[in-house]
């Protein structure tokens, strides 16, 4: 596949991922309150339904990954556009908490098979070990999902109400998302060619040899690597989601005004994109483990500075957190590829992301309780988790290192 066609695939998949994230993960931030008012429930009930969707997505991830390994990503991602559209229409038609939760459960099915993990598996299925740059490319584009999604959700809510906004997002999945994912390349790529290329004819006749079995030491190493990566992903997704839900409040607790806290929190998105550009340029010369280690250190360093200096360090903390999170998002796609290879990538990554999705589901509630109890000191918890993740990354070893 040519570089030009790969760039086209990355662009289409990046835009489709922007739509998927904007209409699911970033939806409650703008629509939870009007949903709650209209349905006669408390706003936390809407976020509880969102948490249920995240748990469902965790359970569906491994199955989606195995399906992509077998059939490629195009049919799966097109199917998720239809699921996203159906769940959004169902949400817009909900008349009470039962309908709301049912719609979010369906949304969870779409999220489990239609967000980054599925996109990463699709790229690995297409490009094999050469997918690192492509993974970075789609995260560069989809890094603007909140930048696009929040204003668009707010605009549609003002124009048509929250129900009309849900239907509007559903229409975008049908009119934009389906064509974008349907135009992805068919399976018939470097990875398939490697598998389809017949081995060179042997120069001598040899007796058949039994299939090699993995040595116990290799199996133990693989299990250890899987556990460590699963822990790293769970910790980083917990922190990322906790900050997404409570960063303005945390910054206020550290000594900033509401206006400064909101303006400072908005730096997360640009910091993520700048860090991903850095990963695409300078850091691509480094081993992905080194990039991940640097990124994992960013949040704890920023948290320590915030706790020592207070409010004046809010912007620095926010930028460090955003930059680290931006690169760690890429690492979630590249590290399993580097450490295990392309074979079975989708199923393996889906399995490793189950703890991360569960941690993500409970992060807003747990971190909110921490802020209620100990104020800005709650950031020490995420800082210590970040140090633990850095330690796990430090003991990992990839083939050839």
């Amino acid at each position: 596949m040519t570089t030009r066609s790969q760039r086209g695939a990355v662009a289409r998949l990046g835009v489709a991922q922007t739509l998927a994230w904007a209409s699911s993960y970033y939806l409650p931030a703008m629509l939870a309150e009007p949903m709650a008012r209209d349905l006669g429930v408390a706003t936390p009930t809407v976020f509880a339904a969102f948490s249920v969707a995240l748990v469902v997505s965790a359970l569906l991830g491994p199955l989606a990954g195995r399906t992509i390994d077998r059939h490629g990503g195009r049919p799966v991602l097109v199917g998720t556009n239809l699921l996203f559209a159906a769940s959004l229409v169902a949400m817009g038609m909900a008349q009470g908490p039962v309908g709301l939760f049912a719609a979010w459960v369906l949304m969870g099915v779409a999220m489990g098979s239609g967000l980054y993990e599925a996109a990463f598996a699709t790229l690995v299925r297409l490009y094999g070990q050469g997918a690192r740059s492509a993974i970075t490319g789609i995260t560069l584009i989809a890094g603007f999902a909140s930048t696009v999604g929040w204003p668009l959700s707010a605009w549609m809510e003002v124009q048509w109400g929250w129900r009309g906004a849900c239907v509007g997002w559903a229409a975008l999945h049908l009119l934009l998302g389906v064509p974008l994912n349907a135009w992805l390349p068919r399976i018939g790529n470097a990875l398939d060619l490697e598998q389809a290329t017949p081995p060179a004819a042997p120069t001598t006749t040899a007796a058949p040899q039994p299939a090699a079995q993995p040595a116990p030491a290799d199996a133990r190493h693989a299990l250890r690597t899987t556990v460590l990566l699963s822990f790293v992903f769970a910790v980083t997704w917990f922190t990322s989601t906790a900050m997404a839900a409570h960063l303005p409040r945390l910054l206020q607790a550290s000594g900033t005004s509401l206006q400064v806290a909101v303006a400072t929190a908005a730096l997360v998105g640009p910091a993520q994109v700048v860090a991903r550009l850095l990963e695409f340029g300078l850091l691509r010369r480094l081993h992905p483990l080194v990039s991940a280690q640097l990124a994992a250190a960013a949040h704890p360093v920023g948290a320590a500075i915030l706790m020592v200096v207070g409010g004046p360090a809010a912007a620095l903390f926010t930028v460090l957190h955003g930059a680290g999170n931006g690169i760690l998002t890429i690492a979630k796609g590249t590290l399993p590829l580097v450490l295990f290879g392309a074979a079975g990538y989708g199923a393996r990554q889906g399995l490793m992301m189950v703890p991360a999705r569960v941690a993500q589901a409970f992060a807003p509630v747990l971190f909110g309780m921490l802020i209620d109890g100990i104020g800005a000191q709650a950031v020490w918890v995420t800082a210590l988790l970040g140090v633990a993740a850095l330690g796990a990354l430090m003991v990992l070893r990839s083939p050839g290192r």
Side-chain angles (χ1 to χ4, degrees):
M1 185 164 294
T2 66
T3 302
R4 181 178 179 181
S5 62
Q6 181 172 337
R7 286 198 298 266
V10 168
R12 290 189 291 271
L13 190 53
V15 174
Q17 282 293 295
T18 302
L19 171 60
W21 281 93
S23 61
S24 60
Y25 185 81
Y26 293 110
L27 193 72
M30 293 293 105
L31 300 187
E33 289 189 4
M35 280 183 186
R37 287 196 304 268
D38 191 37
L39 295 175
V41 300
T43 300
T45 301
V46 179
F47 282 99
F50 176 55
S51 294
V52 169
L54 292 174
V55 173
V56 171
S57 74
L59 299 177
L60 267 291
L63 175 61
R66 286 194 297 270
T67 304
I68 292 173
D69 286 339
R70 293 193 189 101
H71 305 293
R74 188 170 71 162
V76 174
L77 291 173
V78 170
T80 61
N81 285 126
L82 301 178
L83 286 173
F84 276 123
S87 65
L88 287 160
V89 170
M91 201 175 298
M93 296 175 63
Q95 299 300 316
V98 174
L100 178 70
F101 273 81
W104 275 107
V105 167
L106 186 57
M107 177 71 82
V109 176
M111 294 170 72
S113 50
L115 294 181
Y116 270 151
E117 290 76 41
F120 294 162
T122 298
L123 292 171
V124 172
R125 189 69 179 86
L126 288 170
Y127 308 119
Q129 292 286 353
R132 181 182 178 185
S133 295
I135 287 171
T136 303
I138 66 166
T139 61
L140 276 172
I141 299 171
F144 291 100
S146 61
T147 306
V148 173
W150 285 339
L152 188 53
S153 287
W155 180 83
M156 288 192 289
E157 195 274 329
V158 169
Q159 297 297 316
W160 309 319
W162 73 268
R163 296 181 187 274
C166 289
V167 174
W169 281 117
L172 285 173
H173 274 282
L174 297 177
L175 299 175
L176 181 62
V178 168
L180 286 171
N181 284 322
W183 290 339
L184 289 172
R186 294 179 181 271
I187 299 176
N189 48 69
L191 184 58
D192 293 319
L193 293 175
E194 289 172 6
Q195 295 171 341
T197 301
T203 56
T204 60
T205 303
Q209 298 295 321
Q213 298 296 324
D218 292 338
R220 287 195 298 271
H221 176 73
L223 177 61
R224 175 173 172 269
T225 300
T226 299
V227 171
L228 287 172
L229 277 182
S230 298
F231 172 75
V232 171
F233 295 164
V235 164
T236 54
W237 275 61
F238 177 91
T239 299
S240 173
T241 306
M243 292 299 111
H246 298 291
L247 182 56
R249 187 179 170 204
L250 175 67
L251 296 179
Q252 281 184 272
S254 71
T256 67
S257 67
L258 174 61
Q259 292 80 4
V260 171
V262 171
T264 303
L267 295 173
V268 169
Q272 289 184 145
V273 172
V274 170
R276 288 167 185 171
L277 285 171
L278 184 64
E279 162 71 14
F280 192 72
L282 178 63
L283 293 182
R284 69 188 300 180
R285 302 173 185 175
L286 301 178
H287 192 280
L289 265 176
V290 177
S291 297
Q293 290 160 3
L294 293 172
H299 179 87
V301 169
I305 295 173
L306 180 67
M307 288 296 93
V308 172
V309 178
L316 178 60
F317 165 71
T318 301
V319 168
L320 285 172
H321 165 73
N325 187 64
I327 294 177
L328 285 169
T329 301
I330 299 171
K332 293 178 182 76
T334 57
L335 286 181
L337 177 62
V338 170
L339 298 177
F340 291 102
Y345 173 92
R348 183 180 295 107
Q349 195 206 36
L351 183 63
M352 285 192 293
M353 288 302 296
V354 169
R357 289 290 190 188
V358 174
Q360 182 185 36
F362 292 100
V365 174
L366 294 179
F367 196 72
M369 292 171 62
L370 281 172
I371 295 179
D372 289 340
I374 58 177
Q377 299 295 319
V379 78
W380 284 121
V381 175
T382 56
L384 290 174
L385 288 174
V387 171
L390 176 60
L393 289 168
M394 294 296 291
V395 300
L396 282 172
R397 290 292 181 269
S398 70
R401 289 191 80 215

